[in-house]
Amino acid sequence: MICRAIAAAAQRDGNFFSSLLNKVSTLSQLNQTHAQLILNGLSKNLIINTKLTHKLFDLKSLSQAKLLFKCLSSTVPLDLFYYNVQIRGFSRNNSPLDAVSLFHHLRRETILKPDKFTYAFVVSAISSSGLEYVGILLHGQVIVSGCSSDLFVGSALVDMYMGSSRVRSAHKVFDEISEPDTVLWNTMLSGLVKNCCFYDCIQIFRHMVANDRLLDSTTLAVALSAAAELQELRTGMIFHSLAVKTGCQSHDYVLTSLISMYSKCADVSTARFLFEQLEYPDLISYNAMISGFSCNNKTESAVRLFNALLLLGDKVNSNTVVGLIPVSDPFGHLKLTCSIHGFSIKSSLVSGPSASTALITVYSRLNEFEFARKLFDESPHKSLASWNAMISGYAQNGFTETAIDLFREMQALDIHPNPVTITSILSACAQLGAPSLGKWVHDLIKQENFESNVYVSTALIDMYAKCGSIEEARGLFDTIAEKNVVTWNAMISGYGLHGRGNEAVLLFYKMLGSGITPTVITFLSVLYACSHAGLVEEGEKIFHSMTREFNFKPSPEHYACMVDLLGRAGKLETALEFINQMPIKPGPAEWGALLGACMIHKDTNLAQFASDKLFEMDPKSVGHYVLLSNIYSADHNYPQAASVRQIAKKRNLAKSPGCTLIELNGILHVFTSSDQSHPQAAEIFEMLEKLMGKMREAGFQTETVTALHDVEEEEKELMVKVHSEKLAIAFGFIASEPGTEIRIIKNLRVCLDCHNFTKFVSMITKRLIVVRDANRFHHFKDGVCSCGDYW
C-alpha cells in the first residue's frame, strides 16, 4: 500500500514537472525547475531529463546541455532517443563538431545502434559547415546501415550536398529514393536554386508535376524564383496558373514570389496589381515590391513605397535596403546610393552582409572603387557574396589583375568559392588571356565539383576561346549534356573570334535543330562570325531570318555587323545603300564599320564621307581620325593625312598606346613600342635582329605605308620594327621551349607590317604563333594566317 502511494506520488511529480517544463520560457526559469527536479529526487529520471535537455537546446544553453549529458551518462544508462535529442540540439545550434563527436561516442562507447533519425540529425549538423569529407564518410555509413533509402535521411543528405555545391552527388541521392515526398522534392529544388541551377530546378519541377507529385506553397515559391532568375515570363505565368489551380495563390509566400517573378521579368504592372491584392502586406511583400520597382528602373516609385513603409512605423530590415539600392541601373544614382548608405549606417544595417554587398556592387558599377573597397575592407564578417561582388566589380571594370589577386587572397583564407565566384574569375582570365591561370581555375572547378553547373561550364568555354584554345573550348562544349542558349552563344562567338565562320554557321543551325530558341546575342555572334570569314550570302540570309522568322528588332550592333560584312567583302556601295535604307538613324557603329571597310579597300572618297558623319556624331573618338589618316597615307595623300592628325591634336585627342602581353610560366610580361624596360631587353632586341635578318633573306619587306610620312624611309622601318607585338614574339623565342606554341595579346588591331612579320616568323621558325588583337584571333603557321589576310 505504501509502495503504491509512493509510486503514485512519483508519477504525479513526474507529470507535474513535465507540464512545467513545457511552460518554461527563460533560462532562469529552467534553472529553477532543474533545481526542483533534483530536490524532488528526479535527477535520474531519463524521460524528464530528456525533456530538460531539449529545453536547454531551445534556449541555446549548450554548455549546460553538455554538463547534464556528462552527469547522466555516469549514473544512468542512456537510450538512443536521448542521444538523438542531443545530436539534434547541436545541429540546430550550429555546433557541427559537437554533433559529430557525440555521434562518434555513440558508435564507439555504447552498444546502441544509430537509427534513421540519428543519421539525419548528424548529417544536418554538418550541412554548409565546410566538413564535406565528414559528410561523405557519414553517407558511407548510412549506406552500410541500410538507411540510404529513408526519406528523412535522404532529405538531410541532399541538403548537405547542396550546401557544399556538390550538385551531382545530391542528384544521385535523390534519384536513388523511389518515392520522394514533398519535403524531399522541396529540398532538391531549393538546393538547385541556391546553386544557380535554375534550368535544372524548372525541369525537375515539371517532372514533379507531370508525375502528379504532391506540391505545396513552398514548391511553387521555389519554382517561381527559378523562373524569375531566368527571366522566363512565359514559364512563370504557367506556374502562376498552377498556383491558382492548386489554391496556393492565396498564400502570402506564393504571392510574394509572384510579385518578385513578374518584377524580374519586367512586368512591373502585374507585380503591382498582385501587391495591391494583399489586404495586409507584410514586410517581405513590401521588400519584394520595392525591389521590383528598383530593378525596373522605377527608382522614384521604389523610394515612395519605401517612405510609405517608414510612415507605417514598420521597422525595415536589410532586405528592404537591398531592394531599394539601384543595383540593376545605378548610373545617375550615386547621390541616392550614398543616402541609402547613410541610412544603413544609422539603422545599423550596413554591417549585415546583404546590404554591404549590394552597396559594394553599386559602387563598383559606378566605378567608385575607393568607396567599394573601403566598405568591403571594413565589413566585420565578409560573406561569400561580398567577396563575389568585389571580385566581379574588378573583373567587369577591367581591373583583371586586382580581381585575380583578391581571388588568391580568398583562397589563402580557405574560403570556398561558389559558381558565381568561379564565373567572375574566369571572366578575368578571359580578359587577361592567361591560359595557365584559366587552367588552374579549371582544376579548382574539378575539385569543387562545379563542372555540372551550366554557368561555370559556359564560362570555361568562353575563357578557353578567348585564351586561344578554341579546340579545347569545343571539347568542353560537346561534353555538356544540357546546354542553354548562353552555352551555344559562347561557342558560336568563340568560332567567330577565331575567324571560323563556317563552323559558327553550322553550329547555329545545329542549335536551331536542337530546339533552342536563339536570342539577339546569338544573331550578333553568328553575324560577327560571317563578317570575319567573308560569308556574305549566309550572313544576309541569317540577318533576314532574324527579322522575318524570329521577329527580332535589329540593334545598331546588328546593323553594324551587316555593314562590316558587306564592306569587308568589297561591296562598299551596297553597304552604303544598306545604311541609307535602315529603318533607324545610323549611328557611329554603322559609319565606323563603313570607314573600316574603306581602309581595307582604300576608298578615300567614301572614307571622307563616312568620317564626316562620324566626326559630327562622335567628335571625341580618336580612332576615327587615326583610321582616316591611315587611309590617306595608304593613298600617298600625305598632306591630307597630316591635316587629319593635326585636327585630332588640336582637340587634345590621343591614341591609346599599343601594348602586347605574353604569359610564360604563369608570369605576365607586357611590352610597349620600343620598350627597353624589360630585364632581358638586350637579348630581346638581339633576337629581333636575328629574326629580321633571316626574314629578309626569305623575301620579307617592311610595310611602312601607314607610318608617319614626314620621316625618312629608313626611320619608318625602325619605327614599325619595334612595335610591341614584335618584341613580345622575340621574347617568346628566348623564354619558351623550342617547338612550343607562342601566344600574345595586342590591345589594338594588329597592323599590316606586324601581320606580315608574324607570317614570315612562323615560316622560318616552324613555330605556331597565336595572336589575339582587339578584333579577333590570328593563328600563324608555316607562313599562313588563319584569317586568310581577311581582317
Side-chain angles (χ1 to χ4, degrees):
M1 187 73 177
I2 294 173
C3 289
R4 287 181 186 173
I6 292 170
Q11 183 67 41
R12 187 170 61 248
D13 289 343
N15 289 335
F16 170 75
F17 282 110
S18 181
S19 175
L20 188 61
L21 282 168
N22 288 333
K23 298 174 182 176
V24 166
S25 59
T26 66
L27 187 58
S28 175
Q29 292 174 352
L30 188 62
N31 288 335
Q32 291 176 46
T33 306
H34 190 187
Q36 289 299 318
L37 284 171
I38 296 169
L39 290 173
N40 282 272
L42 293 169
S43 60
K44 295 181 182 180
N45 186 307
L46 188 56
I47 295 174
I48 296 297
N49 278 285
T50 300
K51 185 162 283 192
L52 176 63
T53 300
H54 193 286
K55 207 69 179 180
L56 284 168
F57 280 116
D58 284 348
L59 296 172
K60 303 190 182 302
S61 182
L62 274 66
S63 57
Q64 284 183 248
K66 289 179 187 178
L67 185 60
L68 181 59
F69 170 79
K70 189 175 181 181
C71 293
L72 281 173
S73 61
S74 62
T75 57
V76 296
L78 302 177
D79 60 9
L80 184 59
F81 185 75
Y82 184 83
Y83 273 97
N84 287 348
V85 168
Q86 279 271 346
I87 293 170
R88 180 174 178 268
F90 288 129
S91 175
R92 292 197 167 187
N93 283 276
N94 299 316
S95 189
L97 291 176
D98 286 321
V100 172
S101 177
L102 189 59
F103 174 77
H104 182 75
H105 174 85
L106 168 67
R107 293 186 72 245
R108 296 301 178 102
E109 305 297 330
T110 75
I111 61 170
L112 299 171
K113 289 185 178 180
D115 63 5
K116 61 181 182 180
F117 297 106
T118 321
Y119 284 116
F121 294 149
V122 72
V123 168
S124 295
I126 63 170
S127 293
S128 305
S129 66
L131 301 172
E132 293 96 336
Y133 65 97
V134 178
I136 294 168
L137 291 173
L138 280 169
H139 189 182
Q141 292 181 20
V142 167
I143 294 169
V144 171
S145 71
C147 294
S148 58
S149 60
D150 180 78
L151 290 170
F152 196 41
V153 178
S155 291
L157 284 167
V158 168
D159 187 55
M160 178 197 74
Y161 281 125
M162 287 297 189
S164 56
S165 295
R166 295 178 181 270
V167 178
R168 192 177 297 172
S169 297
H171 262 292
K172 192 172 181 180
V173 173
F174 180 81
D175 292 340
E176 287 176 354
I177 297 173
S178 57
E179 292 293 330
D181 62 358
T182 306
V183 174
L184 181 54
W185 282 101
N186 290 350
T187 304
M188 188 67 192
L189 294 172
S190 299
L192 289 169
V193 168
K194 287 174 186 175
N195 283 279
C196 304
C197 301
F198 306 118
Y199 280 102
D200 289 346
C201 175
I202 288 175
Q203 284 183 338
I204 288 179
F205 176 74
R206 283 174 171 161
H207 177 74
M208 182 182 181
V209 174
N211 287 275
D212 294 324
R213 302 295 182 179
L214 189 64
L215 52 86
D216 58 13
S217 57
T218 302
T219 325
L220 280 161
V222 173
L224 283 164
S225 69
E229 292 300 327
L230 293 171
Q231 297 183 349
E232 289 195 357
L233 180 59
R234 180 178 171 81
T235 302
M237 291 173 74
I238 292 169
F239 294 170
H240 187 176
S241 299
L242 189 60
V244 174
K245 184 178 177 181
T246 56
C248 291
Q249 186 189 3
S250 58
H251 291 240
D252 287 355
Y253 189 36
V254 175
L255 263 176
T256 302
S257 296
L258 283 166
I259 292 166
S260 180
M261 184 276 294
Y262 280 110
S263 297
K264 289 183 178 179
C265 292
D267 188 355
V268 72
S269 58
T270 302
R272 188 170 195 166
F273 171 79
L274 289 168
F275 177 76
E276 290 169 353
Q277 301 307 301
L278 292 165
E279 189 174 357
Y280 300 105
D282 59 7
L283 182 58
I284 298 171
S285 304
Y286 268 102
N287 291 350
M289 196 65 248
I290 290 169
S291 176
F293 283 133
S294 183
C295 73
N296 283 282
N297 304 327
K298 296 185 179 294
T299 311
E300 290 183 12
S301 297
V303 172
R304 277 199 299 270
L305 191 59
F306 175 76
N307 289 333
L309 180 61
L310 292 179
L311 289 172
L312 289 172
D314 289 350
K315 189 175 182 180
V316 301
N317 60 17
S318 58
N319 289 333
T320 322
V321 173
V322 170
L324 185 63
I325 296 170
V327 177
S328 59
D329 187 19
F331 306 104
H333 296 305
L334 179 59
K335 189 175 179 180
L336 172 63
T337 302
C338 291
S339 299
I340 297 169
H341 190 175
F343 176 85
S344 301
I345 293 171
K346 289 177 183 177
S347 307
S348 301
L349 295 172
V350 76
S351 58
S354 55
S356 62
T357 299
L359 287 166
I360 288 167
T361 302
V362 172
Y363 283 135
S364 297
R365 289 183 180 176
L366 290 170
N367 217 14
E368 297 287 344
F369 280 98
E370 188 178 342
F371 289 158
R373 190 57 189 259
K374 188 173 186 293
L375 187 57
F376 175 78
D377 290 338
E378 290 176 354
S379 298
H381 304 291
K382 296 179 181 68
S383 66
L384 180 56
S386 65
W387 284 92
N388 289 347
M390 202 68 243
I391 290 169
S392 175
Y394 281 133
Q396 289 173 5
N397 284 276
F399 299 100
T400 50
E401 292 183 61
T402 312
I404 291 165
D405 288 342
L406 193 61
F407 179 67
R408 290 188 186 278
E409 183 183 331
M410 179 180 162
Q411 289 283 293
L413 293 170
D414 199 28
I415 299 170
H416 286 256
N418 66 3
V420 176
T421 329
I422 295 296
T423 52
S424 295
I425 208 65
L426 282 172
S427 171
C429 294
Q431 290 177 52
L432 205 56
S436 63
L437 184 62
K439 286 178 181 177
W440 171 67
V441 177
H442 193 173
D443 289 339
L444 185 63
I445 288 166
K446 291 174 183 176
Q447 291 173 28
E448 298 287 346
N449 286 313
F450 290 155
E451 290 175 291
S452 61
N453 186 290
V454 69
Y455 296 98
V456 172
S457 53
T458 299
L460 266 175
I461 290 167
D462 184 62
M463 183 276 294
Y464 276 119
K466 288 178 178 174
C467 287
S469 302
I470 191 66
E471 299 300 339
E472 199 150 1
R474 182 58 193 257
L476 271 170
F477 176 84
D478 289 337
T479 63
I480 301 172
E482 297 293 334
K483 304 174 184 72
N484 63 21
V485 68
V486 183
T487 314
W488 288 90
N489 289 351
M491 195 64 239
I492 292 168
S493 174
Y495 274 136
L497 197 60
H498 287 263
R500 293 168 66 165
N502 287 313
E503 287 96 327
V505 171
L506 284 172
L507 198 63
F508 170 73
Y509 285 118
K510 187 176 180 180
M511 172 186 169
L512 297 183
S514 69
I516 300 289
T517 303
T519 64
V520 288
I521 301 298
T522 315
F523 283 104
L524 191 61
S525 299
V526 74
L527 287 173
Y528 176 91
C530 290
S531 168
H532 282 262
L535 303 176
V536 179
E537 289 184 13
E538 203 60 65
E540 288 181 317
K541 179 182 174 183
I542 289 169
F543 179 79
H544 292 311
S545 74
M546 176 180 76
T547 56
R548 295 168 185 170
E549 293 176 34
F550 293 93
N551 298 316
F552 282 125
K553 187 178 180 181
S555 68
E557 288 78 12
H558 292 99
Y559 287 120
C561 259
M562 286 302 296
V563 175
D564 190 56
L565 174 74
L566 296 166
R568 281 177 186 275
K571 299 185 175 185
L572 297 176
E573 293 300 327
T574 307
L576 179 61
E577 186 181 347
F578 180 87
I579 290 174
N580 291 331
Q581 290 178 355
M582 282 168 50
I584 61 172
K585 184 179 178 181
E590 293 82 10
W591 292 115
L594 184 62
L595 183 61
C598 291
M599 172 65 190
I600 296 169
H601 297 286
K602 300 179 175 56
D603 189 325
T604 53
N605 292 328
L606 191 54
Q608 183 63 63
F609 178 76
S611 60
D612 287 343
K613 297 286 186 181
L614 285 166
F615 297 155
E616 181 184 329
M617 296 176 177
D618 193 11
K620 293 184 179 180
S621 178
V622 67
H624 306 322
Y625 293 90
V626 173
L627 197 54
L628 182 61
S629 174
N630 288 342
I631 291 170
Y632 281 127
S633 293
D635 195 41
H636 303 288
N637 191 343
Y638 298 123
Q640 275 295 97
S643 174
V644 173
R645 289 181 183 272
Q646 195 63 33
I647 293 170
K649 190 175 181 181
K650 284 181 181 178
R651 294 182 178 179
N652 295 317
L653 302 177
K655 178 186 174 184
S656 298
C659 65
T660 302
L661 177 148
I662 183 170
E663 182 196 21
L664 287 170
N665 302 318
I667 301 170
L668 302 174
H669 303 264
V670 180
F671 294 90
T672 55
S673 184
S674 306
D675 194 350
Q676 297 193 31
S677 63
H678 196 278
Q680 293 175 269
E683 294 174 66
I684 291 167
F685 278 87
E686 185 181 340
M687 173 58 74
L688 188 56
E689 283 295 333
K690 184 178 176 181
L691 290 170
M692 291 293 287
K694 289 183 178 179
M695 287 163 55
R696 287 193 188 98
E697 291 176 9
F700 173 73
Q701 289 185 333
T702 303
E703 171 59 59
T704 60
V705 156
T706 57
L708 296 178
H709 67 274
D710 54 352
V711 294
E712 295 296 327
E713 193 68 22
E714 188 177 334
E715 289 182 74
K716 289 183 183 181
E717 287 194 24
L718 182 63
M719 289 166 64
V720 295
K721 186 173 74 174
V722 290
H723 276 184
S724 60
E725 49 262 66
K726 294 175 182 174
L727 297 177
I729 290 171
F731 175 67
F733 280 104
I734 294 169
S736 65
E737 292 293 324
T740 57
E741 177 183 304
I742 293 174
R743 295 187 186 190
I744 65 171
I745 299 174
K746 176 76 183 283
N747 67 325
L748 304 175
R749 182 180 183 271
V750 65
C751 73
L752 178 60
D753 182 68
C754 286
H755 194 267
N756 289 338
F757 167 87
T758 313
K759 283 200 295 184
F760 269 84
V761 169
S762 72
M763 180 178 67
I764 64 171
T765 63
K766 302 300 178 184
R767 297 276 287 267
L768 173 63
I769 302 172
V770 180
V771 179
R772 170 180 154 188
D773 71 4
N775 294 333
R776 57 172 296 161
F777 273 92
H778 302 260
H779 297 256
F780 297 90
K781 186 178 180 181
D782 297 328
V784 178
C785 179
S786 60
C787 74
D789 298 338
Y790 194 88
W791 90 102

